[in-house]
Amino acid sequence: MPDDETQTPTLNREAIARTPHDTRAGSLPGAAEGPSPWLLRLIAVGLVLAALNLRPAITSLGALLEEVREGLHMSGSVAGVLTSVPPLCFAVFGVMAPRLARRFGAGAVVCAGMAAIAVGLVVRPYIGSTAGFLAASALALMGIAVSNILMPVIVKRWFPDRVGTMTGLYSMALALGTALAAALTVPVTGALGGDWQTGLVVWAVLAAVAVLPWIVLVRDRTPAPGQPAPVAANVTEAPALKITRSRTAWGLACFFGLQATAAYITMGWMPQIFRDAGVSAGTAGLLLAVTMAMGVPLAFVIPRVASRLKNQGPIVVVLGLCGLIGYSGLYLAPAAGAWAWALLLGVANCAFPLALTMIGMRARSGAGVVRLSAFAQSTGYLLSIPGPLLVGVLYQHSGGWGLPIALMAGLMIPQMVAGILAGRDRTIEDEC
């Protein structure tokens, strides 16, 4: 760690990196040239706009899932496949993000990701078949996947002294976008004539707007934060298999995967659970919005609290218990206590910003964070694929929500175990 390095050359390099207007710092392409305040503000706006677009493609579909199923003649099992597409795409395309960033620059990849989201959201409602709907959804989700992985890299790259603040900012924006799509999709659909295609396509506008600030960074090709290009490339290309020796990395990947399972089951199926319990479509969308909106304040609070603790296990347990209580209530009285269960599940879903925080804390270097982020998120999303699909199959064949909800509750136990393992005070460098 930097604090442990006492040799003069290392201190000189750090002094160079920390001196914004030093001429030698300018030799790092775009890394430490002392970017102007307006550029940093533009990048901050770009982060917020990008984060706002990382979930509406999913939660807008959850709010209108029944209408989409009827319009495309989907069975419950096929709808389960549809709700499993997000983690599948995140696993497959997310692992490509570091290589794409090395080749084209992180800013250019995020810019392309926002464009892919916009195109996918425009195309999918009108393609007219289940296969086409899935393919267009996959295009949008590909853009989300690479942007998911690169958000921490962008923060580390441009705001090295404000990582916690900027992580909290884009986490809040992500939660806000998720909640807005859940709350507004149904009423907007009604206001625009009741056509589900129109209700889904409107979210492409937000993605198109998000492309604009990233155009500035298209030519920025620095492959890793705070390093000269050759050094960063070599560090990033270190043997990827070494990280698989780390118990902490595997614990974090499992924790990330299980929290993602819960999140995508919630986003894909919770409105349908409430609607089947007699809640109106509009209210079901608002309940999902409440669940997602809990992440707006908590996404800012949890990273700050977690970063002050050596061990994040207690936070993991609190979030897990909220999930268990919420699922139990959803099983016993889904309509009567709907708002309480929505709030509790919203707290439980804040395992996501906690996982992002732990990614930053479980590696010493910027290059280590990039590798751990790619490994934990890609592996985690891969592990989360069966969950939403299994919920759809259980719902289809049991004819009710008892078994699916029992599955959701049961998965909170291994999530807590994995989170406790990942929350221990150690880094992957100690174990690889």
Side-chain angles (χ1 to χ4, degrees), residues 98-199:
R99 288 188 178 184
L100 291 171
R102 284 199 302 271
R103 183 174 178 83
F104 302 106
V109 176
V110 174
C111 184
M114 294 299 107
I117 295 170
V119 173
L121 293 183
V122 166
V123 170
R124 75 173 181 177
Y126 301 107
I127 205 161
S129 69
T130 299
F133 191 94
L134 288 169
S137 295
L139 176 62
L141 293 166
M142 177 179 67
I144 296 172
V146 295
S147 301
N148 265 335
I149 299 295
L150 295 178
M151 287 291 100
V153 180
I154 295 288
V155 169
K156 190 90 169 182
R157 164 81 168 78
W158 291 97
F159 305 95
D161 56 341
R162 287 175 281 170
V163 171
T165 299
M166 296 307 296
T167 299
L169 180 65
Y170 85 72
S171 296
M172 288 173 62
L174 189 152
L176 180 61
T178 307
L180 287 174
L184 298 180
T185 297
V186 171
V188 166
T189 301
L192 295 177
D195 187 0
W196 64 266
Q197 285 100 334
T198 306

Side-chain angles (χ1 to χ4, degrees), residues 308-361:
R308 294 173 183 171
L309 299 176
K310 289 186 175 181
N311 190 322
Q312 290 74 45
I315 303 177
V316 170
V317 172
V318 170
L319 298 181
L321 290 175
C322 287
L324 283 173
I325 297 170
Y327 286 128
S328 298
L330 205 58
Y331 180 89
L332 296 172
W339 295 101
W341 317 141
L343 287 169
L344 285 167
L345 292 175
V347 175
N349 276 348
C350 289
F352 176 70
L354 176 61
L356 290 180
T357 305
M358 288 197 288
I359 287 174
M361 297 180 69

